[in-house]
Amino acid sequence: HRSRGDLDLARDYFRKALVVDGKHALSYQSLALLEAKEPQGLGFQTARRILREATTIVNVRDGWPVWQTWAVLEADAGNMDEAQHILQAAIEEVPNCAQLYQTYAVLKRDESDYEEARRLFDAGARASPKDSAPVYSAWGKMEEDCGYVERARELYQKGIEVNPSNSVCWNLYAALEASEGNSDEADRLKFVASGFSDDSDGSGTSPSLLETDGY
């Protein structure tokens, strides 16, 4: 966590960035997350205000992470209906954004609405096949947690086919095989995963700065 001085410097940096470019989605997103997640931040209401303002300024096609972040913060605050409304509105405007479908699917997963989560994961994978590796990794983990090991294995393999450098898919696949007692295969998969840096994981966190599991 940042010190109060570091927090003030970061806040000032993002605000100055928005003076230079008032439509810079990443600055809005970063500032909102700073206020919401840092212990000395100004809190959820301030973050919500920043993101609501951003959605009136930023083009959703270029700045969809603003909508994604707002939805996740609303969900974290227990406002699931609002979170879903935000994501539905964004998907209507950017129907080919796999990450928005993935976020929506994760919200449904967390509500134990697995059938709807599956539908949304599938829609996300179809919406933008080239960006679907994170979708498959999150979907596979859900199926694994539900006890559908073979289905999870298939989904991890699909994610690797889409992006062979996706370390999350490799590592999740390795963990699955280890849990199934297939130690040789797990070791092989871990070895492959070790060849890729952590920032090649494709988990969906980099474009949105979100650290919440699966988003």
Side-chain angles (χ1 to χ4, degrees):
H1 296 304
R2 298 179 176 90
S3 68
R4 180 177 294 276
D6 288 341
L7 195 67
D8 288 341
L9 286 172
R11 187 181 286 122
D12 186 55
Y13 173 83
F14 294 131
R15 286 174 175 167
K16 285 180 177 178
L18 288 169
V19 170
V20 174
D21 181 359
K23 295 183 178 182
H24 193 241
L26 184 61
S27 293
Y28 283 110
Q29 183 191 20
S30 301
L31 182 58
L33 286 172
L34 179 150
E35 303 296 9
K37 298 294 187 181
E38 291 291 337
Q40 298 184 61
L42 297 179
F44 167 69
Q45 293 296 340
T46 297
R48 172 194 267 172
R49 178 182 56 76
I50 291 166
L51 293 167
R52 181 180 285 130
E53 177 186 354
T55 62
T56 68
I57 298 169
V58 174
N59 184 317
V60 64
R61 292 187 175 277
D62 300 323
W64 59 262
V66 167
W67 278 256
Q68 183 195 40
T69 302
W70 186 10
V72 170
L73 292 182
E74 293 288 355
D76 287 347
N79 305 321
M80 293 301 295
D81 288 345
E82 180 66 15
Q84 293 177 44
H85 174 74
I86 292 165
L87 288 169
Q88 288 166 356
I91 287 170
E92 285 180 11
E93 294 294 326
V94 197
N96 64 337
C97 182
Q99 294 92 332
L100 289 172
Y101 285 101
Q102 179 181 340
T103 301
Y104 201 171
V106 169
L107 296 186
K108 287 299 184 181
R109 177 203 70 187
D110 291 347
E111 291 187 307
S112 300
D113 188 349
Y114 299 116
E115 285 306 311
E116 182 62 6
R118 290 182 181 104
R119 185 189 72 78
L120 289 162
F121 278 130
D122 183 62
R126 294 173 184 273
S128 183
K130 66 182 177 63
D131 299 317
S132 63
V135 176
Y136 285 123
S137 65
W139 187 0
K141 188 64 172 66
M142 183 188 81
E143 299 295 2
E144 182 181 351
D145 290 344
C146 288
Y148 300 115
V149 172
E150 189 55 40
R151 181 57 173 149
R153 190 178 277 127
E154 292 171 358
L155 291 164
Y156 295 147
Q157 289 169 353
K158 284 186 177 182
I160 289 166
E161 288 173 10
V162 170
N163 180 5
S165 66
N166 184 308
S167 65
V168 162
C169 278
W170 286 108
N171 281 312
L172 287 172
Y173 194 1
L176 181 150
E177 296 298 354
S179 70
E180 290 295 299
N182 303 322
S183 57
D184 288 347
E185 179 65 359
D187 289 343
R188 183 188 72 82
L189 294 167
K190 287 179 187 175
F191 177 77
V192 175
S194 70
F196 305 114
S197 62
D198 290 340
D199 61 2
S200 68
D201 63 313
S203 63
T205 60
S206 296
S208 64
L209 303 182
L210 296 174
E211 297 178 354
T212 310
D213 179 39
Y215 291 117

